[in-house]
Amino acid sequence: MKLKKHSILIILMLFVVNTYAQKKQLQLEDYSKWSRIISPTASADGNWFAYALRPNGGDDTLHLKSLNPENLERIPYASSPTFSKNSNFFAYLTKPNKSESEKLRKARKPIPSTAHVKALNSDHKFSVERANIMAFSNDGKYWAVLKDKPENAKSDVRGADLVLYNLTTKTALNLGNIVEFAFNQKSSHLAYLVDAEDQVGNGVFVLDLQNMATRSLDSDKAIYQSLTWDDAQAKKAEWSSKGNQLAVLKGNKVDSLIHQNNELIVFTALDKSPVKKVLSNKANGFPSDYVISEKGRLSFSNDGKTVGLGIKEQEVKVKMSKDTIANVDVWHWKDDYIQSVQIVRANRDKNYTYNAIYHIADDKFVRLADDDLKYVMDSKHPQYRIGRDDSPYISDVNWGISPADLYRVDINNGSRKKIEDLVIRTLESSPDGRFYLYQKDTAIIAYDLQTDKKTNISEKAAVIFMDMEHPYPHENPTFGVAGWTKDGKNVILNHKYDLWMLALDGSKAENITKIGNQQEIRLRYISLDSEEDWIDTKKPLLLTAYGDNTKKEGFFELNLGSQPKALVYEDLSYGRPVKAENADKVFFTKQTFVDYPDYYASNSKFNGQKKLTDANPQQVEYAWGSRKLVDFTDSRGNKLQGTMTLPADYEEGKAYPTIIYFYETMSERHHQYSMPVYDDRPHFSTYASNGYVIFMPDIVFEEGKPGTSSLDVITSAAKELIKQGYADENNIGLQGHSWSGYQTSFILTQTDMFKCIVTGAPPTNLESFYNNIYGSSGTVHHGIMEIGQVRMGYGVTPWTHREIYQRENPMFHIPNIKTPFMILHGTKDGAVDWSQGLELYNAARRMGKEVIFLSYPNEGHHLANEANQKDFQRRMNEYFDHHLMNKPAPEWIEKGVPHLKKLYEKAD
């Protein structure tokens, strides 16, 4: 019997080994076989699910899946899936394939889209060519498509054809010269704006969808725009009482002025006898030389009594020739924002408008924002808004924080009252706008806009709600707001693991989940109802769950007063569930390192899970690795964790070539699927398929010691992998990009423990980087250096603390380098200037170090061009293979590539 069992075991082992041997090793050439799921969409009745598969470098294919009975339809070159709310119809767009689209782009021709609608329970289909925008009415009776203008249309005519298709009678109505359209939420009317040649017939119109009668609300030789219904942001319960008011801007351009002078027109009682109200810049209280701007957004208040608008100062056009005007930027020490920030924000600032309110019934204008208080937030409160003034605290050092003074603004007269000085961390408003939460020092303050009262609602709590493990040296943030209770008396706040319910009058604070901290499970409230503003604590609460140490994920249910109970809690990662609007059915993803995040459906208790998609069935043909959590301790005593990817054919006790990839906290990616894609990162699925171990450790940084902290953690991690027998101590490499590009560059200068290093977009000289510009935003790096990722400490500059900067600066230690390394950098990097990579290359070259610099012209912080992405993937793989697996070096590693032999320069 024992001999038989032993024989069976040997046969099984041989079978497993043989199975792995038969599987293919994943290579760059295989990446085109992998697809990602985009645009997942479920019908309201939960019986249909649509999604597109987008292969690497390929064309989208839309999939329409019937769940009962099961059926799958594939639609090539399609996107933008949409279901009607009654779940009877399905719409989508098609475009030419990528190859044809590229030809059209090169010919500078538009890429046409065709809109399609089809019945879900019959073969009926209707299409509209040259489509721009499409929309269903909420009752599912109509489908509208606004077409693009014909190529030969006059450039100053904005209007195009609008096709209104009756889904019941299968008949189409064509409306000409339409520039904007919108159904109201209850689907009783379609509003549209006309913009025709010579402005003849321009105006605002509404079509009664019950009797198909059209009514002209206003018509003139003018430009109409910004069409807005009063129910645009309304919840379903409000639809029947709203959708009877409409706002629009009307104006004309004047050649001698920069900004268009508009009137705001509001139409009320559209369900009865329409009433027109007009606001112009001649109204009482309207600032002189200002206009109502189309650059501002129109919005009705929740009670429908006011319309929010934007105003802007008028400017006179001055004719000037650039040939006679000096092109100079004056950088001044008194500038609020340095010139580079002003340049990047120029378009935003040109289009900025100040908030104002129009009271419809009183025909009254009230300005809310001005230069003294630029930011006034929207709110559902009928009288008050919150204003922010950040001007006293503008600083080059601000990073990750937005300090400001807070004000209460009365929309009836524009008066202001300061609430609080210097608030660095704000949270949110209650759904009705009555309460506003913010953090002051370590306290959570609830400000009652109605009574003008501030209450410390966290005072009774046994904890503080500030994240004390926040990694950057500025005011720590909170863990966030879970929601507001339906009775209006409490707010539920997140703590590290648990949820706390805090009374808004400050009388009570209670941990309502309790087990989170005990079991180190992070519990967070999640709503499946998109209409929900408040949390009904009389009903079960759905919670997401994440095991901090186990990396398990799932969903718990909480009945207030009881402990949360697990619905599902598994060793994998769940995506955020989305509920079908009218059915007890939820849609969500599940993933592990091995399993692509395909979609599943179940009921709202996550029972009866059924897999809906299979994005990458070809994966079974390839050797794939596995993941394992590894705990370790650095020399400072920090207990840390990392996620390790083992080779596909891993043998217990065998040490493997190893790549350590890191940034800050990485173990949370334990269940992240390793999608083979074209980019500039190492793909663990590929490296594991080809015999590598890959490790992603968490890092704890000390203020003022960014490089030495990382050095400690990474060398400690490497020693642990060697100790446990996973890593070949003679063949360990590092790879890092951006912030970890700095870390790899620093480690490069401190130890010869690693066989080779690949560093991407690295800040390499902390002293010059301190004064570099973040090209994408225009900001100087003072903030990120002192209180951001680099964490040198507030006020710690290269001049006040030179010794610290030199200690942590890779460029100061170039002579110590003993390890071959390779640099990746794009010349148009908007985050870390290309000169940083160049400095490291030049210094290392001068010191006779073994360095290769891969410089990609016109690329940004990450490679975007597919050819460049593939090139870097190939070179990085060859570099690691040569150094860590002793494979022969290709010629470019041994000798480089002379510029005249660069293939790109020879291409057409």
Side-chain angles (χ1 to χ4, degrees):
M1 188 67 179
K2 287 183 179 179
L3 181 62
K4 186 176 180 181
K5 285 184 177 179
H6 186 67
S7 300
I8 291 171
L9 182 61
I10 291 173
I11 291 169
L12 285 172
M13 289 175 66
L14 289 172
F15 174 76
V16 170
V17 171
N18 190 48
T19 300
Y20 269 116
Q22 290 175 349
K23 290 196 172 187
K24 295 180 283 187
Q25 290 181 318
L26 183 60
Q27 304 296 336
L28 181 64
E29 293 72 27
D30 300 311
Y31 284 19
S32 60
K33 299 175 184 177
W34 261 258
S35 297
R36 61 166 50 87
I37 294 173
I38 63 169
S39 306
T41 308
S43 62
D45 65 4
N47 290 329
W48 296 84
F49 187 70
Y51 60 97
L53 287 183
R54 176 172 292 172
N56 290 323
D59 293 293
D60 294 353
T61 299
L62 189 62
H63 291 62
L64 175 61
K65 188 179 184 73
S66 168
L67 306 187
N68 187 24
E70 282 200 30
N71 186 51
L72 182 64
E73 179 182 354
R74 294 177 176 86
I75 309 168
Y77 316 130
S79 63
S80 305
T82 309
F83 291 97
S84 61
K85 284 193 175 292
N86 61 8
S87 302
N88 291 335
F89 298 93
F90 177 66
Y92 58 93
L93 297 174
T94 57
K95 288 185 177 182
N97 61 34
K98 287 184 75 173
S99 175
E100 290 300 316
S101 295
E102 187 59 31
K103 289 177 184 177
L104 289 169
R105 257 191 294 269
K106 287 182 177 179
R108 297 190 176 181
K109 290 185 177 182
I111 300 170
S113 292
T114 299
H116 309 267
V117 65
K118 61 174 289 176
L120 290 172
N121 295 312
S122 74
D123 294 331
H124 180 69
K125 181 178 173 182
F126 180 73
S127 302
V128 178
E129 295 181 348
R130 220 174 61 246
N132 182 9
I133 301 169
M134 63 179 182
F136 284 109
S137 59
N138 281 332
D139 62 4
K141 293 181 179 179
Y142 291 93
W143 180 62
V145 179
L146 181 61
K147 301 179 71 171
D148 282 321
K149 292 195 305 180
E151 283 189 64
N152 59 356
K154 285 191 174 182
S155 60
D156 59 342
V157 175
R158 299 184 301 141
D161 287 348
L162 176 70
V163 178
L164 181 65
Y165 188 66
N166 187 317
L167 295 163
T168 304
T169 64
K170 301 175 184 175
T171 55
L173 173 66
N174 191 84
L175 302 170
N177 299 310
I178 310 301
V179 67
E180 293 181 40
F181 76 95
F183 294 103
N184 60 0
Q185 301 283 19
K186 60 188 174 186
S187 305
S188 63
H189 290 82
L190 172 72
Y192 58 90
L193 303 180
V194 169
D195 192 273
E197 188 174 350
D198 299 324
Q199 297 188 334
V200 175
N202 283 13
V204 189
F205 299 84
V206 289
L207 175 64
D208 189 324
L209 296 173
Q210 311 307 312
N211 57 28
M212 301 308 289
T214 300
R215 175 183 283 162
S216 172
L217 300 179
D218 192 82
S219 184
D220 202 350
K221 278 200 163 190
I223 297 171
Y224 293 84
Q225 56 196 319
S226 304
L227 183 70
T228 307
W229 281 104
D230 65 338
D231 61 358
Q233 304 300 321
K235 299 292 185 180
K236 260 189 181 179
E238 303 169 315
W239 287 2
S240 60
S241 62
K242 293 187 177 183
N244 303 315
Q245 298 186 105
L246 199 62
V248 68
L249 295 181
K250 170 187 175 181
N252 266 314
K253 295 177 180 176
V254 177
D255 288 341
S256 60
L257 301 173
I258 289 178
H259 303 297
Q260 182 171 303
N261 189 12
N262 296 297
E263 293 176 331
L264 168 66
I265 308 179
V266 181
F267 305 97
T268 63
L270 292 178
D271 55 336
K272 300 171 185 175
S273 298
V275 176
K276 180 168 75 172
K277 291 290 189 76
V278 180
L279 172 70
S280 75
N281 62 351
K282 306 300 181 186
N284 289 334
F286 204 100
S288 59
D289 298 324
Y290 272 68
V291 297
I292 300 171
S293 177
E294 70 280 1
K295 295 178 172 69
R297 184 176 67 90
L298 298 185
S299 62
F300 282 87
S301 59
N302 188 57
D303 59 13
K305 293 180 179 180
T306 65
V307 175
L309 62 142
I311 64 173
K312 191 167 187 62
E313 189 172 12
Q314 183 61 279
E315 298 175 73
V316 177
K317 283 184 182 177
V318 179
K319 290 186 177 181
M320 294 180 287
S321 170
K322 287 187 176 180
D323 293 336
T324 63
I325 303 295
N327 184 6
V328 57
D329 300 313
V330 179
W331 298 60
H332 197 281
W333 83 94
K334 290 184 180 179
D335 287 341
D336 286 339
Y337 295 100
I338 62 174
Q339 280 289 320
S340 51
V341 171
Q342 296 178 48
I343 291 167
V344 170
R345 296 181 185 176
N347 283 333
R348 188 193 76 174
D349 293 343
K350 280 182 204 173
N351 295 323
Y352 186 81
T353 61
Y354 295 97
N355 289 354
I357 287 284
Y358 175 59
H359 294 262
I360 302 168
D362 298 331
D363 192 26
K364 183 173 74 172
F365 168 86
V366 178
R367 182 174 186 175
L368 303 181
D370 55 27
D371 287 334
D372 293 327
L373 188 68
K374 291 188 71 173
Y375 309 105
V376 178
M377 295 176 273
D378 285 340
S379 169
K380 286 188 176 181
H381 195 278
Q383 185 175 356
Y384 297 111
R385 302 285 187 270
I386 293 291
R388 295 181 66 257
D389 176 24
D390 63 358
S391 60
Y393 313 109
I394 294 172
S395 167
D396 291 341
V397 182
N398 285 347
W399 189 90
I401 55 173
S402 302
D405 298 335
L406 299 183
Y407 290 79
R408 183 183 72 168
V409 181
D410 190 330
I411 68 170
N412 291 325
N413 53 33
S415 62
R416 303 160 182 173
K417 179 177 181 181
K418 184 179 281 190
I419 301 168
E420 193 78 77
D421 287 313
L422 186 55
V423 174
I424 295 176
R425 301 286 188 182
T426 59
L427 282 81
E428 65 178 42
S429 293
S430 58
D432 60 1
R434 177 169 178 175
F435 292 94
Y436 188 74
L437 292 185
Y438 61 91
Q439 178 175 275
K440 188 65 177 175
D441 298 322
T442 61
I444 304 299
I445 307 298
Y447 174 67
D448 187 335
L449 279 78
Q450 192 67 38
T451 63
D452 187 29
K453 181 182 178 182
K454 293 184 286 188
T455 303
N456 180 351
I457 62 172
S458 60
E459 190 173 16
K460 301 281 186 179
V463 297
I464 62 173
F465 294 90
M466 179 181 279
D467 180 2
M468 301 310 293
E469 296 175 7
H470 182 65
Y472 306 127
H474 50 225
E475 181 171 305
N476 295 353
T478 68
F479 293 97
V481 179
W484 304 73
T485 60
K486 194 174 182 180
D487 60 10
K489 296 180 179 179
N490 306 281
V491 63
I492 299 176
L493 297 184
N494 300 323
H495 197 253
K496 181 178 180 180
Y497 295 115
D498 287 300
L499 301 180
W500 284 69
M501 187 159 69
L502 279 61
L504 290 168
D505 63 5
S507 62
K508 188 177 181 182
E510 179 188 4
N511 182 343
I512 60 173
T513 51
K514 297 180 176 64
I515 68 167
N517 194 61
Q518 296 168 8
Q519 300 180 25
E520 295 188 328
I521 299 175
R522 187 175 68 219
L523 299 169
R524 295 293 181 260
Y525 173 72
I526 183 173
S527 173
L528 297 179
D529 184 0
S530 61
E531 296 289 306
E532 178 186 86
D533 278 336
W534 305 86
I535 299 177
D536 188 346
T537 55
K538 293 180 181 179
K539 297 179 180 179
L541 276 58
L542 180 64
L543 311 177
T544 63
Y546 171 78
D548 203 9
N549 291 315
T550 65
K551 312 308 176 191
K552 287 184 177 181
E553 293 186 28
F555 300 94
F556 281 53
E557 187 175 80
L558 172 67
N559 288 290
L560 217 61
S562 302
Q563 284 196 352
K565 293 182 179 179
L567 299 175
V568 287
Y569 190 53
E570 302 177 76
D571 203 16
L572 51 79
S573 178
Y574 275 90
R576 183 182 178 90
V578 176
K579 183 181 175 298
E581 195 171 333
N582 302 323
D584 184 30
K585 189 173 288 184
V586 294
F587 300 84
F588 52 90
T589 60
K590 296 197 298 185
Q591 68 174 312
T592 67
F593 173 74
V594 177
D595 302 300
Y596 177 84
D598 277 303
Y599 274 84
Y600 293 75
S602 73
N603 64 20
S604 56
K605 302 289 187 182
F606 298 92
N607 295 323
Q609 295 187 15
K610 187 173 184 179
K611 189 175 182 181
L612 302 180
T613 66
D614 189 10
N616 294 292
Q618 77 289 340
Q619 183 179 316
V620 297
E621 302 171 17
Y622 292 85
W624 210 266
S626 59
R627 281 261 168 89
K628 180 178 181 178
L629 290 169
V630 176
D631 296 317
F632 67 100
T633 305
D634 67 16
S635 68
R636 297 166 293 173
N638 293 308
K639 296 186 180 302
L640 301 166
Q641 193 175 56
T643 178
M644 176 174 59
T645 305
L646 292 171
D649 57 352
Y650 174 70
E651 298 174 27
E652 190 78 31
K654 180 180 176 180
Y656 288 85
T658 299
I659 298 170
I660 301 179
Y661 177 76
F662 54 101
Y663 195 80
E664 293 195 12
T665 56
M666 302 293 279
S667 64
E668 60 197 20
R669 303 187 190 187
H670 181 61
H671 287 307
Q672 186 179 72
Y673 178 74
S674 181
M675 175 79 176
V677 293
Y678 306 131
D679 61 13
D680 50 22
R681 299 170 177 86
H683 296 295
F684 312 127
S685 50
T686 305
Y687 283 90
S689 186
N690 288 273
Y692 284 90
V693 164
I694 306 97
F695 190 57
M696 294 192 293
D698 296 335
I699 300 176
V700 173
F701 294 92
E702 285 184 59
E703 185 175 326
K705 297 182 177 180
T708 49
S709 297
S710 182
L711 173 68
D712 181 9
V713 172
I714 300 306
T715 54
S716 298
K719 289 173 184 176
E720 185 65 27
L721 295 183
I722 295 167
K723 176 184 173 183
Q724 293 194 26
Y726 295 112
D728 177 352
E729 64 179 327
N730 296 314
N731 288 294
I732 302 176
L734 302 183
Q735 207 279 346
H737 192 95
S738 189
W739 169 230
S740 57
Y742 157 73
Q743 297 171 63
T744 51
S745 300
F746 180 81
I747 294 169
L748 169 72
T749 68
Q750 302 297 307
T751 178
D752 60 359
M753 184 178 191
F754 304 106
K755 188 76 170 293
C756 68
I757 288 175
V758 177
T759 181
T764 61
N765 185 342
L766 293 189
E767 295 188 43
S768 62
F769 185 72
Y770 183 89
N771 289 309
N772 278 176
I773 297 298
Y774 198 114
S776 299
S777 66
T779 53
V780 65
H781 286 313
H782 295 172
I784 195 173
M785 285 294 301
E786 294 185 26
I787 64 173
Q789 272 187 317
V790 185
R791 305 169 174 84
M792 296 303 279
Y794 185 78
V796 178
T797 74
W799 310 282
T800 58
H801 298 77
R802 181 166 293 278
E803 183 180 340
I804 293 175
Y805 271 82
Q806 290 180 346
R807 184 190 68 214
E808 303 298 316
N809 192 345
M811 291 296 290
F812 195 71
H813 306 287
I814 296 297
N816 298 338
I817 295 174
K818 298 181 178 66
T819 303
F821 69 105
M822 183 168 72
I823 309 165
L824 152 72
H825 219 141
T827 64
K828 297 295 185 183
D829 193 327
V832 179
D833 195 87
W834 176 79
S835 63
Q836 289 288 309
L838 182 64
E839 281 194 52
L840 179 59
Y841 166 76
N842 281 335
R845 173 183 162 91
R846 179 66 183 87
M847 292 289 101
K849 308 304 179 181
E850 192 175 329
V851 58
I852 295 173
F853 185 19
L854 301 180
S855 176
Y856 289 88
N858 300 312
E859 286 282 14
H861 194 54
H862 289 285
L863 301 180
N865 178 276
E866 186 177 305
N868 291 341
Q869 293 170 337
K870 290 178 179 178
D871 179 80
F872 179 69
Q873 286 288 334
R874 178 178 61 80
R875 293 185 193 276
M876 177 169 57
N877 184 253
E878 290 174 346
Y879 193 77
F880 279 131
D881 278 356
H882 170 60
H883 287 287
L884 303 184
M885 286 195 165
N886 297 315
K887 290 186 179 180
E891 187 175 0
W892 69 270
I893 291 180
E894 292 287 350
K895 298 180 180 178
V897 180
H899 183 73
L900 292 181
K901 291 188 178 181
K902 181 179 172 182
L903 290 180
Y904 184 86
E905 299 300 329
K906 300 175 184 293
D908 295 331

